[in-house]
Amino acid sequence: FRTFPGMPKWRKTQLTYRIVNYTPDLPKEAVDSAIERALKVWEEVTPLTFSRVYEGEADIMVSFAVGEHGDFFSFDGPGESLAHAYPPGPGIYGDVHFDDDEKWTEDASGTNLFLVAAHELGHSLGLFHSANTEALMYPVYNSFTDLTRFHLAQDDVDGIQSLYGPPPASSDDTPVPTESVPPPPPPPETPAMCDPTLSFDAVSTLRGEVLFFKDRYFWRRTHWNIKPEFHLISAFWPSLPSNLDAAYEDHSKDTVFIFKGNRFWAVRGNEVQAGYPRSIHILGFPPTIRKIDAAVSDKEKKKTYFFVEDKYWRFDENSQAMELGFPRLIAEDFPGVEPKVDAALQAFGFFYFFSGSSQFEFDPNARMVTHILKSNSWLHC
Amino acid sequence: YTLKRAAKEDSRMGLVQKYLENYYGLTKETRQFFRRRDSDTVVGKIQKMQKFLGLEVTGKLDSSTLEVMLKPRCGVPDVGH
């Protein structure tokens, strides 16, 4: 790694940033998220913290521009120079400029904004280019970087910590003996499809396929392949979180709604729709509800069921409102289905409720559980 | 054909010259030597670039060097202020 000549660095640890304008290539939320995640990359390995301001001068001003844009470092059209940034200091120093003649994307189909932002912010914090081809601060854009497993190279960490030191041990950290550096956490195991104890975070149909979400991954059951495909969520939807709570497809809108915590996203195919995430409370949940466990939409009746612990709500897709008289007890209207429901699916006229490693096939006409299966029975184990 | 090759050679040299100026501090006054790639300033810059970008240091504009130079990159120089 290298620092800029004269080793400029910020003399404070609490820095401000402002997104001055946006590219037309992406929804504003996607730009906000990319910059936020790029800052977090450096925040995690230093004592630095970043807070966003929306007007006036910030330490790091982020903007998009084309060609000559007032700093004598003209951009050069598509390709070649993607962006540039200035080392720490007042005024233009610390600022990041993106060339808006590039096609900025959330995935790898164009120039990935998160990846370039993380590199440029390295400059804003005082890192010059690195000759280490594995390092984020290597000057040439690597379009094959696995975005799902992005992490700083040791060279990047050594460089930024040579300027600012390591992050402070947080108050609840038990003091780690200095002589032994704790081993890096083992990489998260990938879930085994045919593990008899397998449970799911969420299940949803998608244009005739069925998606089974677990941790950072999902299995995809398609018509043309008896063997389910296994993917990282972020390979299709980079801005979605992992460890989802619920998901359901609204067939009339050709949209899958994805829930985590008190927020939900709308995806159409692999496009996250603009204006999301939104709060689940706009659907009509009381403020006491912090998350939902499962959701499924009855495409004939145009009713969507939301399951939370031992209760459920019903949402009328026509009036777009939660129905009165809810919540009701799951045990009353779905006898035999044991809370808590992890995920839910409608298929072949039945409802399938996933709870841990068990799956309850429920006949809504007979109002009874007709089969109890293993949760992963859909994956042809 | 020769003319065409010369034109192609020219545009390539233009790209290389701009790259070395933008990122390796090749100054304008060395521009007149640029057509003769053997001027030690230019060869030195090419070697410096190859070393920095993890390429084989030949001082020549071989295909792997040109390939890296055509890739999108950060606009901040690799050397100098």
Side-chain angles (χ1 to χ4, degrees), chain A residues 2 4-5 73 76 79-85 119-120 123 128-131 133 138-141, chain B residues 15 18-19 22-24 51-54 68-81:
Chain A
R2 285 179 313 153
F4 281 92
F73 267 103
D76 49 18
E80 292 182 60
S81 167
L82 301 174
H84 54 230
H119 173 101
E120 297 307 330
H123 290 317
F128 208 16
H129 282 146
S130 167
T133 54
Y138 185 70
V140 178
Y141 176 72
Chain B
L15 171 135
K18 201 174 102 188
Y19 196 94
N22 286 348
Y23 306 118
Y24 284 85
K51 182 171 187 296
F52 188 82
L53 295 178
V68 171
M69 295 175 81
L70 287 169
K71 285 186 175 178
R73 56 158 291 153
C74 171
V76 171
D78 293 341
V79 295
H81 282 263

Side-chain angles (χ1 to χ4, degrees), chain A residues 65-133:
Chain A
V66 293
E68 173 50 51
H69 52 281
D71 66 358
F72 302 107
F73 267 103
S74 299
F75 282 131
D76 49 18
E80 292 182 60
S81 167
L82 301 174
H84 54 230
Y86 293 84
I92 193 171
Y93 288 99
D95 292 0
V96 176
H97 300 167
F98 294 102
D99 183 352
D100 218 351
D101 275 330
E102 310 307 332
K103 171 69 176 147
W104 295 105
T105 57
E106 287 183 274
D107 53 19
S109 63
T111 304
N112 181 267
L113 181 61
F114 159 73
L115 207 47
V116 174
H119 173 101
E120 297 307 330
L121 288 164
H123 290 317
S124 303
L125 300 178
L127 285 183
F128 208 16
H129 282 146
S130 167
N132 179 326
T133 54

